[in-house]
Amino acid sequence: MLKDITLGQFFPIDSPLHRMDPRTKILLLILHIVAIFLANNTAGYVLVTLFTLMIMLLSRVPLKMYFRGLKPILFVIIFTAVLNIFLTPGTKIELFNYETPMTWEGLVLAGKMALRLVLLIITSSALTYTTSPIILTDGIEKLLSPFAKLGLPTYELAMMMSIAIRFIPTLIEETDKIMKAQKARGADFESGSVIRRVKALAPMLIPLFISAFRRADELAVAMESRCYQGGSKRTRLNEIHFASVDYVAAAIFLLFFAALITLRILL
Amino acid sequence: MIKAEHLRYAYNAAETEELKFALDDVDLTVSEGEFVAVLGHNGCGKSTLAKHFNGLLLPSGGKVYVSGMDTKDDAYYWDIRKTVGMVFQNPDNQLVATVVEEDVAFAPENLGVPSDEIRKRVDEALKTVDMYEMRRHAPHLLSGGQKQRVAIAGVIAMEPKCIVFDEPTAMLDPKGRREVIDTILKLKNEKHMTVVLITHYMEEAVKADRVVVMDKGKIVIDDVPKKVFSQVRLLKSLGLDVPQVTELCYLLNKAGLSLPNDILTVQECADELEKLFK
């Protein structure tokens, strides 16, 4: 179960999306999220869905990966859908005779909300699948750089973020190991009341924290031995810069965005 | 290359306690292109010594010079780190990036090397440690030996003159251990780098040009491997082992055979035994 996490799972292949500048991707992602919520009629939904599908295909990431990324939020999607179906006022569906009836309007709304959520997750994972975390943090750093003049330590923030991402799998593995070790000595994480179970976590969390601190210490020494001296003078292996692919992507996206707004006004 | 003179180091002890020296009057010179192994059991001060070689720790007494630069002089702070690279025990805690090549690029990036030069250094470093094919992989999916080789590549990319290995194989399986040792030998023989290897595996120390044995913060023996390992009784009294073959010969000699007592490899041992029984 601990292996299923897809957060920040970069897919190291080559595609037009991989070649785009992270800044373009981040900005377009934000605009795309706006677009998803701007769509309010059938034509709009079809357009947004098709556009998202195009992104998925352009990324050359196996579609299977996208669906796997949806799994963890399946529950949220179903839960909101059910609430919408039953709680939206409107024409009753005379299929079953429940106290709180299903409505047609609810069904439609549920469909729309589910679609929006799915599109949202898919486009966000398209960003993380096609951008290595380091380049992504580079992009965020550059986007935040105007704030550096106001005293925001953008470089340090970006470094912290990439190290955090780097250590997620390591700490997950460690947690798994500690849990097994404690279970082998009779710890019980699964039974009893909620309070009991929370208490049972202590023998797992304490070693985890201690080891994380030790790791941090060793990492700091290792970074210092490799001449880490903070932001200003650093160069990059892959210096990010806008290329033709970025201009093309931005143009296509703006066209799509304009079409969507036209649809919203006209229909 | 590296020179320690009357080096002493005390960890901060409580005021009431007597100062405890982790290093006590250590004199050691490592010449350019030399492969020196430092042996000793836990707590003998060998890691503390290693950390003095690139200025991570500064001497409480005495001096350490790296290529003539005093480690205590702030002006040389980064030059010293650039000259002497360090590889540590736990490969997981040395890797900063989520993609192999980006990790290898970390040191040159810190030094402000231009992008195309970084690319060249990274490719070359990865080829040296034989990890070029895996340059786009995520470090956490690699084996221990592979991770440690990536860590070595990360240091090579900094282009140091000397690399200090602080028990690089202690957390690896036998296969990973062999990979790392082969890489170290390659660096020494092909790239003519100065290598200091801190270890407690005798089999690794045997491959060095010179072996330094430490005990309680002092250097006890400093000689070529053959001369060091022939002193079986002394090594045992320091809580150290000798290579299995050497021990075998030692025991055979005790039982009345007359073998030379400086045998270090299985081949040598086999040859000598053959000679004896002809």
Side-chain angles (χ1 to χ4, degrees):
Chain A
M1 140 247 180
L2 289 170
K3 293 255 149 111
D4 283 346
I5 292 182
T6 58
L7 175 97
Q9 262 194 15
F10 172 51
F11 229 74
I13 46 168
D14 189 44
S15 80
L17 280 189
H18 283 76
R19 264 173 273 140
M20 276 167 69
D21 189 290
R23 285 168 288 180
T24 325
K25 281 191 266 192
I26 295 168
L27 291 177
L28 291 188
L29 172 66
I30 294 169
L31 276 180
H32 191 81
I33 291 170
V34 174
I36 290 170
F37 285 95
L38 271 181
N40 64 345
N41 49 44
T42 320
Y45 279 113
V46 171
L47 186 63
V48 175
T49 312
L50 284 179
F51 196 76
T52 311
L53 206 64
M54 189 188 83
I55 294 175
M56 288 165 77
L57 292 175
L58 271 178
S59 72
R60 299 217 183 115
V61 174
L63 295 185
K64 198 171 73 198
M65 287 297 297
Y66 284 105
F67 296 122
R68 204 179 298 162
L70 282 176
K71 244 194 255 166
I73 63 140
L74 206 61
F75 173 75
V76 179
I77 296 177
I78 293 173
F79 187 72
T80 49
V82 168
L83 283 185
N84 276 322
I85 292 172
F86 286 100
L87 297 179
T88 315
T91 332
K92 283 181 193 175
I93 303 172
E94 300 293 347
L95 201 52
F96 317 98
N97 275 323
Y98 288 121
E99 281 294 313
T100 38
M102 295 162 86
T103 62
W104 285 113
E105 284 79 359
L107 210 56
V108 173
L109 189 67
K112 283 180 184 170
M113 285 308 290
L115 183 66
R116 277 178 176 168
L117 276 172
V118 169
L119 294 182
L120 214 65
I121 298 300
I122 286 179
T123 33
S124 320
S125 21
L127 175 69
T128 50
Y129 285 153
T130 61
T131 322
S132 91
I134 288 238
I135 293 185
L136 192 61
T137 45
D138 253 20
I140 295 172
E141 189 197 336
K142 286 262 166 73
L143 282 176
L144 288 177
S145 61
F147 297 102
K149 291 194 185 84
L150 300 174
L152 190 74
T154 49
Y155 176 77
E156 279 70 19
L157 282 176
M159 191 73 219
M160 271 152 63
M161 243 161 69
S162 64
I163 288 176
I165 295 171
R166 149 75 185 85
F167 275 92
I168 289 171
T170 312
L171 289 180
I172 287 175
E173 220 171 86
E174 179 119 2
T175 315
D176 206 32
K177 236 186 254 172
I178 295 172
M179 259 167 92
K180 278 184 190 140
Q182 303 291 36
K183 271 186 195 161
R185 287 185 280 167
D188 182 1
F189 296 112
E190 267 119 30
S191 62
S193 66
V194 178
I195 296 170
R196 248 194 75 123
R197 266 187 282 176
V198 170
K199 275 187 183 162
L201 282 179
M204 190 192 80
L205 289 179
I206 292 168
L208 186 66
F209 268 90
I210 292 175
S211 115
F213 280 117
R214 192 175 307 140
R215 277 180 197 284
D217 197 34
E218 281 182 30
L219 183 72
V221 173
M223 282 169 71
E224 211 191 319
S225 322
R226 284 162 79 185
C227 295
Y228 178 71
Q229 44 192 313
S232 54
K233 276 200 313 186
R234 283 191 100 219
T235 46
R236 297 298 148 82
L237 168 65
N238 301 308
E239 206 73 54
I240 54 173
H241 42 72
F242 294 114
S244 51
V245 65
D246 293 291
Y247 300 118
V248 174
I252 295 175
F253 191 87
L254 288 179
L255 219 66
F256 151 74
F257 206 71
L260 194 74
I261 291 174
T262 322
L263 282 177
R264 191 183 158 97
I265 295 168
L266 289 184
L267 298 175
Chain B
M1 182 77 240
I2 297 173
K3 199 167 162 197
E5 286 172 353
H6 305 293
L7 172 62
R8 298 184 133 212
Y9 184 79
Y11 279 102
N12 288 339
E15 277 182 32
T16 47
E17 277 177 56
E18 234 177 292
L19 276 183
K20 275 193 182 153
F21 287 101
L23 291 176
D24 196 357
D25 203 21
V26 170
D27 281 298
L28 182 68
T29 310
V30 179
S31 333
E32 197 141 351
E34 200 178 17
F35 176 6
V36 176
V38 180
L39 276 176
H41 64 86
N42 291 337
C44 71
K46 56 191 197 297
S47 283
T48 313
L49 179 65
K51 285 192 176 127
H52 277 87
F53 291 163
N54 74 340
L56 284 174
L57 292 176
L58 296 174
S60 318
K63 297 267 184 205
V64 177
Y65 296 99
V66 172
S67 290
M69 298 178 280
D70 186 347
T71 55
K72 265 189 169 169
D73 191 339
D74 276 348
Y76 299 131
Y77 197 79
W78 298 112
D79 285 327
I80 286 167
R81 280 170 175 64
K82 214 163 66 181
T83 315
V84 179
M86 271 260 212
V87 175
F88 298 89
Q89 195 178 75
N90 189 340
D92 264 324
N93 298 351
Q94 300 172 62
L95 304 179
V96 283
T98 41
V99 178
V100 166
E101 62 174 12
E102 283 174 3
D103 186 82
V104 176
F106 184 69
E109 283 177 348
N110 288 334
L111 294 170
V113 175
S115 297
D116 42 342
E117 165 76 13
I118 297 182
R119 167 57 60 193
K120 252 197 293 180
R121 284 193 190 189
V122 168
D123 288 352
E124 208 194 302
L126 282 171
K127 279 175 191 154
T128 309
V129 300
D130 211 8
M131 287 292 291
Y132 186 68
E133 279 70 41
M134 317 202 70
R135 66 188 178 281
R136 308 274 293 189
H137 282 243
H140 70 273
L141 299 175
L142 302 175
S143 74
Q146 289 172 327
K147 275 188 245 186
Q148 195 63 293
R149 270 146 66 203
V150 172
I152 295 173
V155 173
I156 299 174
M158 192 164 73
E159 300 191 336
K161 287 195 195 132
C162 169
I163 302 185
V164 177
F165 293 88
D166 190 357
E167 301 196 37
T169 58
M171 298 185 76
L172 305 181
D173 55 4
K175 186 169 167 281
R177 204 174 297 158
R178 209 173 316 123
E179 290 169 3
V180 168
I181 289 301
D182 287 346
T183 310
I184 295 176
L185 288 172
K186 194 173 167 190
L187 288 178
K188 196 244 159 197
N189 295 328
E190 290 173 24
K191 304 268 161 185
H192 309 292
M193 273 184 177
T194 313
V195 173
V196 177
L197 173 66
I198 314 275
T199 183
H200 54 243
Y201 290 108
M202 304 305 133
E203 281 73 15
E204 295 173 3
V206 164
K207 301 199 166 80
D209 299 330
R210 216 171 102 207
V211 176
V212 172
V213 180
M214 290 189 66
D215 187 49
K216 295 187 190 120
K218 286 185 199 301
I219 290 181
V220 191
I221 317 174
D222 180 353
D223 214 331
V224 292
K226 276 191 182 291
K227 292 226 172 113
V228 172
F229 290 112
S230 55
Q231 307 177 44
V232 178
R233 207 171 309 143
L234 175 61
L235 287 175
K236 293 242 169 194
S237 74
L238 295 174
L240 291 172
D241 267 326
V242 291
Q244 279 178 354
V245 227
T246 317
E247 176 148 27
L248 175 69
C249 295
Y250 175 73
L251 291 174
L252 286 173
N253 280 342
K254 247 188 169 175
L257 290 184
S258 55
L259 288 162
N261 56 5
D262 60 353
I263 287 174
L264 295 179
T265 64
V266 178
Q267 191 57 48
E268 277 178 281
C269 180
D271 290 347
E272 288 296 335
L273 282 174
E274 206 187 337
K275 247 191 265 171
L276 205 67
F277 289 112
K278 250 182 186 167

mmCIF file of all heavy atoms in Angstrom, chain A residues 180-195:
data_model
loop_
_atom_site.group_PDB
_atom_site.id
_atom_site.type_symbol
_atom_site.label_atom_id
_atom_site.label_comp_id
_atom_site.label_asym_id
_atom_site.label_seq_id
_atom_site.Cartn_x
_atom_site.Cartn_y
_atom_site.Cartn_z
ATOM 1 N N LYS A 180 7.301 -2.984 10.531
ATOM 2 C CA LYS A 180 7.511 -4.430 10.546
ATOM 3 C C LYS A 180 8.305 -4.835 11.780
ATOM 4 O O LYS A 180 7.992 -5.834 12.434
ATOM 5 C CB LYS A 180 8.247 -4.865 9.282
ATOM 6 C CG LYS A 180 7.304 -5.034 8.106
ATOM 7 C CD LYS A 180 8.031 -5.562 6.894
ATOM 8 C CE LYS A 180 7.137 -5.492 5.677
ATOM 9 N NZ LYS A 180 7.876 -5.073 4.478
ATOM 10 N N ALA A 181 9.350 -4.038 12.086
ATOM 11 C CA ALA A 181 10.185 -4.365 13.238
ATOM 12 C C ALA A 181 9.359 -4.333 14.523
ATOM 13 O O ALA A 181 9.473 -5.215 15.380
ATOM 14 C CB ALA A 181 11.346 -3.385 13.330
ATOM 15 N N GLN A 182 8.492 -3.310 14.646
ATOM 16 C CA GLN A 182 7.687 -3.202 15.864
ATOM 17 C C GLN A 182 6.637 -4.301 15.924
ATOM 18 O O GLN A 182 6.335 -4.830 16.985
ATOM 19 C CB GLN A 182 7.026 -1.827 15.958
ATOM 20 C CG GLN A 182 7.997 -0.655 15.914
ATOM 21 C CD GLN A 182 8.874 -0.541 17.145
ATOM 22 O OE1 GLN A 182 9.290 -1.537 17.716
ATOM 23 N NE2 GLN A 182 9.157 0.700 17.544
ATOM 24 N N LYS A 183 6.067 -4.627 14.754
ATOM 25 C CA LYS A 183 5.088 -5.718 14.721
ATOM 26 C C LYS A 183 5.732 -7.026 15.140
ATOM 27 O O LYS A 183 5.143 -7.832 15.854
ATOM 28 C CB LYS A 183 4.514 -5.870 13.314
ATOM 29 C CG LYS A 183 3.286 -5.020 13.067
ATOM 30 C CD LYS A 183 2.726 -5.362 11.700
ATOM 31 C CE LYS A 183 1.741 -4.300 11.243
ATOM 32 N NZ LYS A 183 1.542 -4.371 9.776
ATOM 33 N N ALA A 184 6.976 -7.221 14.680
ATOM 34 C CA ALA A 184 7.680 -8.455 15.008
ATOM 35 C C ALA A 184 7.882 -8.572 16.515
ATOM 36 O O ALA A 184 8.016 -9.665 17.046
ATOM 37 C CB ALA A 184 9.033 -8.490 14.298
ATOM 38 N N ARG A 185 7.891 -7.421 17.183
ATOM 39 C CA ARG A 185 8.056 -7.456 18.636
ATOM 40 C C ARG A 185 6.723 -7.286 19.348
ATOM 41 O O ARG A 185 6.659 -6.887 20.496
ATOM 42 C CB ARG A 185 9.044 -6.381 19.066
ATOM 43 C CG ARG A 185 10.444 -6.770 18.685
ATOM 44 C CD ARG A 185 11.438 -5.813 19.200
ATOM 45 N NE ARG A 185 11.517 -4.629 18.351
ATOM 46 C CZ ARG A 185 12.143 -3.524 18.718
ATOM 47 N NH1 ARG A 185 12.702 -3.457 19.884
ATOM 48 N NH2 ARG A 185 12.199 -2.513 17.915
ATOM 49 N N GLY A 186 5.645 -7.510 18.612
ATOM 50 C CA GLY A 186 4.339 -7.576 19.239
ATOM 51 C C GLY A 186 3.543 -6.287 19.241
ATOM 52 O O GLY A 186 2.488 -6.215 19.864
ATOM 53 N N ALA A 187 4.003 -5.236 18.559
ATOM 54 C CA ALA A 187 3.200 -4.011 18.503
ATOM 55 C C ALA A 187 1.948 -4.278 17.680
ATOM 56 O O ALA A 187 1.954 -5.078 16.756
ATOM 57 C CB ALA A 187 4.019 -2.895 17.870
ATOM 58 N N ASP A 188 0.860 -3.591 18.071
ATOM 59 C CA ASP A 188 -0.409 -3.837 17.409
ATOM 60 C C ASP A 188 -0.945 -2.501 16.895
ATOM 61 O O ASP A 188 -1.317 -1.642 17.677
ATOM 62 C CB ASP A 188 -1.368 -4.455 18.434
ATOM 63 C CG ASP A 188 -2.703 -4.777 17.798
ATOM 64 O OD1 ASP A 188 -2.853 -4.541 16.586
ATOM 65 O OD2 ASP A 188 -3.591 -5.251 18.537
ATOM 66 N N PHE A 189 -0.906 -2.327 15.585
ATOM 67 C CA PHE A 189 -1.328 -1.042 15.022
ATOM 68 C C PHE A 189 -2.780 -1.056 14.573
ATOM 69 O O PHE A 189 -3.345 -0.035 14.232
ATOM 70 C CB PHE A 189 -0.464 -0.666 13.812
ATOM 71 C CG PHE A 189 0.974 -0.436 14.160
ATOM 72 C CD1 PHE A 189 1.956 -1.301 13.722
ATOM 73 C CD2 PHE A 189 1.336 0.666 14.918
ATOM 74 C CE1 PHE A 189 3.280 -1.087 14.043
ATOM 75 C CE2 PHE A 189 2.661 0.893 15.231
ATOM 76 C CZ PHE A 189 3.635 0.014 14.801
ATOM 77 N N GLU A 190 -3.392 -2.261 14.536
ATOM 78 C CA GLU A 190 -4.673 -2.335 13.832
ATOM 79 C C GLU A 190 -5.918 -2.515 14.695
ATOM 80 O O GLU A 190 -7.014 -2.275 14.226
ATOM 81 C CB GLU A 190 -4.626 -3.473 12.800
ATOM 82 C CG GLU A 190 -4.194 -2.992 11.432
ATOM 83 C CD GLU A 190 -2.907 -3.651 10.966
ATOM 84 O OE1 GLU A 190 -2.666 -4.795 11.371
ATOM 85 O OE2 GLU A 190 -2.141 -3.016 10.227
ATOM 86 N N SER A 191 -5.762 -2.919 15.954
ATOM 87 C CA SER A 191 -6.988 -3.182 16.701
ATOM 88 C C SER A 191 -7.158 -2.189 17.844
ATOM 89 O O SER A 191 -6.273 -1.396 18.129
ATOM 90 C CB SER A 191 -6.962 -4.623 17.237
ATOM 91 O OG SER A 191 -5.879 -4.761 18.117
ATOM 92 N N GLY A 192 -8.331 -2.250 18.480
ATOM 93 C CA GLY A 192 -8.598 -1.378 19.616
ATOM 94 C C GLY A 192 -9.265 -0.088 19.180
ATOM 95 O O GLY A 192 -9.496 0.148 17.987
ATOM 96 N N SER A 193 -9.566 0.752 20.159
ATOM 97 C CA SER A 193 -10.260 1.996 19.875
ATOM 98 C C SER A 193 -9.323 2.959 19.146
ATOM 99 O O SER A 193 -8.138 2.711 19.033
ATOM 100 C CB SER A 193 -10.710 2.635 21.184
ATOM 101 O OG SER A 193 -9.567 3.017 21.923
ATOM 102 N N VAL A 194 -9.898 4.054 18.675
ATOM 103 C CA VAL A 194 -9.095 5.034 17.941
ATOM 104 C C VAL A 194 -7.949 5.536 18.811
ATOM 105 O O VAL A 194 -6.802 5.611 18.372
ATOM 106 C CB VAL A 194 -9.971 6.227 17.499
ATOM 107 C CG1 VAL A 194 -9.121 7.253 16.774
ATOM 108 C CG2 VAL A 194 -11.082 5.717 16.592
ATOM 109 N N ILE A 195 -8.261 5.863 20.067
ATOM 110 C CA ILE A 195 -7.240 6.392 20.974
ATOM 111 C C ILE A 195 -6.110 5.395 21.151
ATOM 112 O O ILE A 195 -4.931 5.730 21.098
ATOM 113 C CB ILE A 195 -7.864 6.751 22.342
ATOM 114 C CG1 ILE A 195 -8.877 7.869 22.134
ATOM 115 C CG2 ILE A 195 -6.789 7.169 23.341
ATOM 116 C CD1 ILE A 195 -9.731 8.176 23.327
#
